[in-house]
Amino acid sequence: MTVLEIRGLTVAVEDTEILTGVDLTIRSGETHAIMGPNGSGKSTLAYAIAGHPKYTVTGGTVTLDGEDVLAMSVDERARAGLFLAMQYPVEVPGVSVSNFLRSAATAVRGEAPKLRLWVKEQKEAMGRLEMDPAFAERNVNEGFSGGEKKRHEILQLELLQPRIAVLDETDSGLDVDALRVVSEGVNRVRATGETGVLLITHYTRILNYITPDFVHVFVKGRIVEQGGPELADELEKNGYAKYGPEAKAPLHARSLPAGPVFGGAVTPA
């Protein structure tokens, strides 16, 4: 069983401390949802796990099956089985989706997939996500709509089958149909029992499709409460008022923040 263990994690951006002591354990086959108000540090946690250089770890530990994640480079984390689906996937001009995916799979699997089998595997995965096969020859995310970018993130997830997947507001900007398709892709990966999922979201709508095992409330850079799926329903109804004056706005009244841009899903260079 894969175990990602976070203990006492503190993270700063420039001179501002964002994470103030995060403790969280994620095992393969488990789905953890993190919910919290804007500015609480949810995305900071995702990018710190991935190794974004903007985020400075000032204390604590992150281990994957006992191995020190914080000592790894970004590509080493990806090879070890960590995956990040970004809120705002970036464009990669000059690199086709097909070449990008096969290069990533080669790095993760340790050898290049046989071309004929790979084409079939990729085509079938794109079909499940209702993606036009022509997307395989387009440059990564270039000219893609928001929904197309998110489907491409989940396409990577399905093909790479990571040990731990961090999904940062994957539901952001999706219409109802795209949300259903993307959620079904996540659920297919969950059904293998081999991947632990950390799902970061503002809203419960994605949790109508992806049922979490655990829900964690994130306020001011740390987890302040945890429970089962019923906790998400409570948050949808009452918002974060009970956690302090900085978190009073009900969920539907808050706008999504602009997030950092870093490389698409965390796959090897």
Side-chain angles (χ1 to χ4, degrees), residues 126-240:
M126 294 181 76
R128 290 192 294 269
L129 288 164
E130 300 179 14
M131 297 179 70
D132 187 333
F135 275 89
E137 302 311 314
R138 292 177 60 178
N139 291 337
V140 173
N141 290 327
E142 194 169 45
F144 286 22
S145 69
E148 289 163 349
K149 288 180 179 179
K150 296 301 179 70
R151 291 181 197 227
H152 180 224
E153 296 282 281
I154 303 307
L155 176 63
Q156 295 171 53
L157 176 65
E158 287 209 58
L159 291 173
L160 297 177
Q161 295 287 320
R163 295 160 73 187
I164 299 291
V166 181
L167 311 181
D168 185 21
E169 299 197 30
T170 296
D171 52 341
S172 173
L174 296 182
D175 61 28
V176 173
D177 290 331
L179 178 63
R180 172 187 55 79
V181 170
V182 162
S183 298
E184 288 172 352
V186 175
N187 283 331
R188 281 191 293 272
V189 173
R190 294 175 66 215
T192 67
E194 300 296 323
T195 300
V197 177
L198 177 60
L199 177 63
I200 296 170
T201 184
H202 278 278
Y203 305 105
T204 58
R205 65 176 193 154
I206 194 170
L207 303 184
N208 293 327
Y209 297 90
I210 303 172
T211 303
D213 299 296
F214 307 96
V215 174
H216 309 274
V217 182
F218 217 71
V219 175
K220 298 185 72 174
R222 62 189 181 91
I223 294 170
V224 297
E225 187 175 355
Q226 53 192 12
E230 70 284 349
L231 180 55
D233 295 332
E234 179 187 332
L235 293 172
E236 177 70 16
K237 180 179 179 181
N238 300 319
Y240 301 101

Side-chain angles (χ1 to χ4, degrees), residues 3-11 19-26 45 48-49 56-72 77 82:
V3 180
L4 179 72
E5 191 165 13
I6 302 168
R7 288 290 174 266
L9 186 65
T10 58
V11 174
L19 300 188
T20 57
V22 177
D23 294 300
L24 180 63
T25 301
I26 302 171
L45 176 62
I49 293 171
T56 302
V57 175
T58 56
T61 61
V62 180
T63 59
L64 182 65
D65 290 341
E67 297 293 322
D68 185 2
V69 170
L70 301 179
M72 300 177 186
R77 298 181 197 206
L82 291 175

